[in-house]
Amino acid sequence: MRPGVRLLGIATGLLALSVVLLVGFDLESSVVALLWAAVLALALVDLVLTTPARRLGLTADLAPHGFAGHEVGLALTLTGPATAPMALRLTHEAGLAAPRPDGVVERALSLPLTILRRGTHKITALEAMYPSRLGLFDVIARWPLDLSVTGLPDVHPILSGAIRTQILPLLEGSHVMTLRGEGSDFHQLRDFVPGMDRRSIDWKRSARMRKLVSRETRAERNHQIVICLDTGHLMGERLGSLARLDHAIHAALALTWAGVLAGDVMGFFSFGPRPGAWLPPQPGQKSFARIRAHSADLTQDDAETNHTLGLTSLAGQLKRRTLVVVFSDFSDSVTAELLVENLTVMRRQHLILYVSLRDPELDTLTHPQAPGLTPVAAAIAARRLSDERQRVLDRLQRLGILCLDTTPGDLTPALISRYMDIKAREMI
Amino acid sequence: MGKWVAGLAIALLIGLGFWWLGVSTRQELRGLDASVIGTDGLVKVLTDQGLKVEVAAPGTAIKVGDIGLRILPLYDMDLFDDRPETVGDVTQRNISAWAVRSKRLQATTLIVLPKWRWAAVQEGVAAPETAIPLEAYRPLFEQLAINGVKIGRNPASFAEARAYGHAGAAFMEQSFDATDLPDRCSAYWRRGNWAQVISCRGEDDEVFYVLADPDLLNNHGLTLADNAGVGAGLLRGLLVAPSDLVYLDRFEADFTTYDGGDERVDYERTPDDLWRFFKPPLGEIWAMLAILLALFLWRGSRRFGPVRAPQDETPERSRREAIATRARLIRLTGQDGAMVADYVKSDLTRMAETAFGAGRGEVARLFPLLARRNPARAAEFQGLAQELMRATPQPAAALRRQLDTYHQLQRILTHGDDA
């Protein structure tokens, strides 16, 4: 409990009044003392009428796991006599973001906690504050908590079937594709029906069977795909609620699942200032479980990425032509030089897809909404950064490296779409 | 043990630093005074002659009332210019006009004029070339409030004369023209038409003396003939009593103290004086203040909610800061017109890229496209854009107004009239 703003205001006002009465009107001290005694009595009455904090109880419940970037609900139930609307504050570790609600009247509520990082995050206390009956005091109740939630890489698109739906055209039996010439693997013969592409008719077999049959093909399977994840300090940049690294891990896991569904062999490599873990490509769903388990423990490094060391080390591990999906970032065209150089070397033997995340806030800055010349100056500065970044990506594309530069929200669908495109064009 | 050694080393370093600072400062201060045009020798000469001498130095504190005569050798030809970079050949030590004046007001002062350039000290050659040109004295006299005084030099290499019972000699003797002195000044020590020392009256009616030739009192001059005796005689004459203190004041800083002993009034302090603070109504006011303070402290001692962690140095923050800093620098250049022109150019390129595809952002093709949507507005938009791209210097308010119109037209052309 502590004195409220109202009590402090009354006391300050009374002090000013007392000084005026004592000095200006030369009143007796007893008159002033009576005024102060009245305030003291009022405060005592207020204390008697107010529900003390010790009579309130709390039960709290929290799901043990949650996906990074998503919310988990902290279920709170308050027991005890009714009180005035209260403010709630949660003490927790830095990997969580909790709301700071004021004026809560419900006795049972769910506080949405956003998981900002992968790993275990503890919640240690909850404090509630409500005003006393007359508003002269703030009553503060504190309950120690021993709750924790583990932030896992976000596999929500996988669990919800979104990836499966998106990858459907590549799956068995879905031979109709928008691009000519994709799917070189022969799958089966089917009776030709009007509406089918006439070029799919197998004339030799049609002649033998004395009816029109068409060839059904499907995309080639068993390609080797390696996800290459940069864990350097630039990947710690927070875009929205999550860091670049977390966005990259989520997209990488979605791609892994898509690759598993499409029958490809998935591998994983991480690098920062030094080469990190190397998980050799493996077929089947086991590879997904392996990559997910490993990426859940990945931490961002505070040092700058050594692209030369990382990519050279990866190139030494690859024995056959591979689709290498590089998740990385650069701060300017000068620091991107080594990245470009090493990707160019890898490009001679492998297919490279360079994935970078665009900062939506930077895009917002380039289109000033507020009037005035300072936002225009900021827009020019932001556009220069943006243009410089675009120049590097253009250069990569000219060198034959596929680039995907998108916002965090669009990353997963765009990456899967690009993967399907690569498969359909048989670029690997 | 390690801590002791580290502490000892730090103390040693600090001590060494202070010692070096003291030594270097002393050397810097003494360099000029120990030279041939300095006055270090004067102290010894006057002491030997039985005069009481004190030298102004940091750490000394001479009462103004004790000073009988202040000797103020000047090494500055421009008292209004205090810049350290002016110290060199002609001005060897800076002193400001107000410092000279305040010293003059404190006690009877003998100002010793400069005569030699620093080149004379360095080369060790006293020649007409190493003397300060006579025409350079006119501004100095104005700054000393003795304008109208004329100074000249004896063309004879050595002039010998007898004064104060001693034979003096000076090389290129420097003297005032005693026949043409202003009303405020009079010759104090005259030889024919020339005066070695003049007595003048300042703006505040204070009397001070000016010695024309510093060679009478400086290290070089004191060794010539019996200049030491002449100098001592001169100073003895200027003192009211022979036992008065001669104060050699060579620096701008004032190291004297003001004797205000008579102003001190002692009051008797008793415990009752303290109790007066608690007598009505002050006692009640203190009590109420104490209650209020206790309430504030009580409130402050109980925190609600966790302490918020400070924002750490994240890469995204550094990028925002970089953009904000660059924006501030762009604004600081004051080239708002060029900035807006740059902005409009890049904006039109982006519009063109949106319309025709990446890498095909030809602005020239954009305006016909916009004209097909709304010819009148497109023409207005094109005119305004071209006007802004000319980067004509305009007031910020006008630019802002034009930019608002630009954005409004852009919205109409992009999203229709309802935008």
Side-chain angles (χ1 to χ4, degrees):
Chain A
M1 187 182 295
R2 66 185 189 186
V5 176
R6 189 175 291 177
L7 180 59
L8 293 178
I10 290 173
T12 310
L14 191 59
L15 173 67
L17 179 69
S18 305
V19 171
V20 170
L21 291 177
L22 285 171
V23 179
F25 294 90
D26 209 11
L27 278 187
E28 286 293 321
S29 309
S30 54
V31 179
V32 173
L34 270 178
L35 288 173
W36 283 89
V39 173
L40 179 64
L42 201 66
L44 289 173
V45 169
D46 192 20
L47 286 177
V48 171
L49 293 177
T50 304
T51 305
R54 64 176 180 278
R55 290 179 63 191
L56 296 177
L58 173 81
T59 52
D61 191 26
L62 179 67
H65 300 104
F67 292 139
H70 287 248
E71 289 179 350
V72 286
L74 172 65
L76 299 172
T77 310
L78 282 166
T79 54
T83 61
M86 53 175 61
L88 297 176
R89 298 288 183 269
L90 210 59
T91 308
H92 54 78
E93 288 182 346
L96 293 173
R100 301 161 62 85
D102 293 322
V104 175
V105 289
E106 298 90 358
R107 309 297 287 179
L109 73 156
S110 176
L111 278 184
L113 308 181
T114 309
I115 302 174
L116 301 176
R117 289 179 202 156
R118 286 163 289 111
T120 304
H121 313 295
K122 285 186 179 171
I123 297 163
T124 51
L126 176 76
E127 282 177 272
M129 184 175 76
Y130 55 93
S132 60
R133 185 62 65 88
L134 301 178
L136 296 180
F137 294 94
D138 294 336
V139 184
I140 298 172
R142 190 173 199 278
W143 296 281
L145 298 175
D146 186 18
L147 299 172
S148 63
V149 59
T150 306
L152 301 171
D154 183 13
V155 289
H156 185 257
I158 299 164
L159 298 178
S160 67
I163 303 297
R164 176 174 280 276
T165 310
Q166 201 177 352
I167 206 83
L168 215 53
L170 277 185
L171 298 182
E172 206 166 354
S174 310
H175 67 286
V176 180
M177 293 195 182
T178 51
L179 294 167
R180 300 285 172 206
E182 73 272 353
S184 60
D185 270 10
F186 172 74
H187 181 45
Q188 61 183 356
L189 290 172
R190 289 187 64 181
D191 287 344
F192 181 81
V193 291
M196 277 183 167
D197 189 351
R198 286 178 189 169
R199 280 175 294 184
S200 67
I201 296 171
D202 189 332
W203 294 106
K204 203 177 274 183
R205 285 184 176 78
S206 297
R208 197 176 296 157
M209 296 169 76
R210 296 174 179 255
K211 65 174 180 181
L212 284 176
V213 288
S214 66
R215 287 169 61 88
E216 192 176 279
T217 59
R218 66 181 180 188
E220 198 181 341
R221 299 166 71 97
N222 211 27
H223 288 307
Q224 184 164 291
I225 300 171
V226 168
I227 287 161
C228 179
L229 207 58
D230 176 3
T231 58
H233 85 288
L234 283 178
M235 294 299 280
E237 184 179 359
R238 199 165 284 279
L239 302 178
S241 61
L242 291 178
R244 276 180 194 274
L245 182 62
D246 286 309
H247 286 299
I249 286 174
H250 297 165
L253 287 177
L255 179 65
T256 307
W257 186 247
V260 166
L261 288 179
D264 285 330
V265 185
M266 302 301 296
F268 182 86
F269 178 71
S270 66
F271 69 104
R274 287 169 299 281
W278 162 242
L279 306 180
Q282 275 189 0
Q285 294 192 0
K286 271 195 295 186
S287 65
F288 174 77
R290 206 166 47 119
I291 292 173
R292 186 182 64 169
H294 181 75
S295 60
D297 297 331
L298 270 185
T299 50
Q300 173 236 324
D301 209 306
D302 290 335
E304 194 176 358
T305 305
N306 188 336
H307 286 103
T308 308
L309 193 57
L311 294 175
T312 312
S313 170
L314 173 63
Q317 305 282 358
L318 300 176
K319 306 295 180 205
R320 53 180 273 210
R321 183 171 165 82
T322 307
L323 167 63
V324 182
V325 185
V326 182
F327 292 88
S328 184
D329 193 39
F330 53 89
S331 53
D332 52 59
S333 55
V334 177
T335 52
E337 277 301 317
L338 280 174
L339 171 74
V340 173
E341 196 177 303
N342 287 288
L343 288 181
T344 312
V345 172
M346 279 191 85
R347 160 79 183 84
R348 292 174 197 154
Q349 291 183 340
H350 308 286
L351 180 66
I352 312 291
L353 172 59
Y354 176 74
V355 183
S356 68
L357 279 168
R358 212 166 50 232
D359 187 353
E361 277 190 42
L362 200 66
D363 290 346
T364 314
L365 275 177
T366 56
H367 297 97
Q369 301 297 320
L373 294 178
T374 304
V376 169
I380 291 174
R383 280 179 187 186
R384 280 180 189 164
L385 272 182
S386 177
D387 290 346
E388 199 171 356
R389 184 182 181 79
Q390 192 56 47
R391 273 200 293 278
V392 174
L393 292 175
D394 288 346
R395 192 171 158 212
L396 282 172
Q397 274 172 337
R398 278 199 302 277
L399 291 167
I401 294 157
L402 305 177
C403 291
L404 178 64
D405 185 38
T406 182
T407 54
D410 297 334
L411 177 60
T412 301
L415 181 63
I416 302 297
S417 178
R418 181 58 72 91
Y419 164 66
M420 288 171 61
D421 191 33
I422 290 167
K423 289 276 285 180
R425 288 168 181 263
E426 295 192 339
M427 295 168 78
I428 308 173
Chain B
M1 183 67 185
K3 283 183 183 175
W4 279 101
V5 172
L8 201 67
I10 289 169
L12 208 67
L13 275 175
I14 292 172
L16 206 66
F18 273 106
W19 174 79
W20 179 248
L21 198 69
V23 166
S24 60
T25 311
R26 236 181 349 258
Q27 281 176 344
E28 187 191 335
L29 293 178
R30 289 187 62 81
L32 174 64
D33 298 323
S35 72
V36 288
I37 60 171
T39 49
D40 273 357
L42 182 63
V43 182
K44 182 166 173 43
V45 165
L46 294 183
T47 310
D48 289 347
Q49 294 280 341
L51 286 169
K52 206 169 141 191
V53 186
E54 285 288 345
V55 183
T60 60
I62 303 295
K63 288 179 183 170
V64 169
D66 294 345
I67 298 173
L69 177 70
R70 183 196 293 264
I71 302 175
L72 184 61
L74 287 185
Y75 297 97
D76 190 352
M77 290 300 288
D78 188 354
L79 304 184
F80 288 167
D81 191 354
D82 285 348
R83 290 173 301 160
E85 60 267 28
T86 56
V87 174
D89 191 36
V90 175
T91 295
Q92 291 114 21
R93 179 181 288 159
N94 263 324
I95 187 166
S96 61
W98 68 264
V100 173
R101 192 175 168 194
S102 72
K103 286 174 194 289
R104 261 171 22 197
L105 286 169
Q106 281 179 349
T108 308
T109 304
L110 172 67
I111 297 171
V112 183
L113 291 181
K115 180 177 176 184
W116 299 107
R117 290 163 45 207
W118 188 244
V121 180
Q122 282 184 316
E123 303 295 329
V125 176
E129 294 77 30
T130 53
I132 296 171
L134 287 174
E135 55 271 21
Y137 284 86
R138 185 189 293 271
L140 179 65
F141 290 166
E142 285 174 9
Q143 290 163 4
L144 287 171
I146 54 169
N147 34 337
V149 173
K150 292 184 179 62
I151 195 165
R153 287 200 184 113
N154 193 339
S157 294
F158 267 100
E160 293 183 9
R162 199 168 176 82
Y164 296 104
H166 300 274
F171 178 71
M172 291 175 64
E173 188 186 22
Q174 195 165 272
S175 316
F176 296 115
D177 185 353
T179 58
D180 191 13
L181 287 173
D183 295 341
R184 290 187 307 281
C185 297
S186 59
Y188 174 78
W189 173 17
R190 184 170 179 159
R191 274 208 310 260
N193 290 333
W194 298 94
Q196 273 294 323
V197 179
I198 55 171
S199 158
C200 292
R201 197 167 287 278
E203 293 100 327
D204 295 309
D205 240 17
E206 81 279 12
V207 175
F208 62 97
Y209 302 91
V210 186
L211 172 63
D213 197 335
D215 284 349
L216 187 65
L217 298 179
N218 64 20
N219 297 338
H220 154 70
L222 286 170
T223 58
L224 296 176
D226 197 8
N227 280 352
V230 178
L234 168 68
L235 298 180
R236 207 173 275 123
L238 290 172
L239 289 171
V240 177
S243 60
D244 283 352
L245 179 71
V246 175
Y247 187 57
L248 181 57
D249 191 356
R250 304 184 282 206
F251 303 109
E252 181 174 21
D254 188 5
F255 300 111
T256 57
T257 56
Y258 177 70
D259 188 5
D262 297 341
E263 293 175 359
R264 180 170 169 176
V265 180
D266 290 321
Y267 297 97
E268 193 183 348
R269 298 289 181 198
T270 61
D272 290 342
D273 294 335
L274 182 65
W275 287 115
R276 282 194 300 137
F277 281 102
F278 300 100
K279 280 183 181 171
L282 282 177
E284 285 84 347
I285 292 172
W286 296 140
M288 289 184 292
L289 273 173
I291 292 170
L292 194 64
L293 181 67
L295 286 174
F296 274 103
L297 288 176
W298 181 9
R299 183 178 169 82
S301 67
R302 288 300 312 274
R303 185 187 168 77
F304 171 58
V307 180
R308 286 191 179 185
Q311 284 190 328
D312 48 356
E313 293 295 327
T314 53
E316 71 268 17
R317 194 163 169 217
S318 66
R319 189 170 290 189
R320 305 276 174 285
E321 294 290 331
I323 290 173
T325 308
R326 191 179 279 191
R328 212 172 301 131
L329 287 172
I330 291 172
R331 286 306 310 276
L332 282 174
T333 57
Q335 303 291 325
D336 286 345
M339 177 187 79
V340 170
D342 193 10
Y343 170 76
V344 171
K345 271 179 208 162
S346 99
D347 205 42
L348 290 176
T349 308
R350 279 174 183 245
M351 278 179 79
E353 281 186 347
T354 311
F356 307 118
R360 295 163 184 264
E362 293 131 17
V363 179
R365 287 173 64 200
L366 177 69
F367 292 118
L369 177 76
L370 296 176
R372 280 201 287 279
R373 294 181 191 164
N374 191 334
R377 296 288 191 177
E380 197 180 341
F381 180 68
Q382 185 175 3
L384 183 58
Q386 283 169 347
E387 170 67 26
L388 287 172
M389 281 193 288
R390 269 188 217 111
T392 322
Q394 292 183 66
L399 275 174
R400 189 177 159 173
R401 200 168 50 249
Q402 285 184 319
L403 259 182
D404 287 346
T405 315
Y406 171 85
H407 283 136
Q408 200 179 352
L409 287 169
Q410 192 183 36
R411 270 196 296 277
I412 290 170
L413 288 167
T414 317
H415 303 294
D417 284 328
D418 298 335

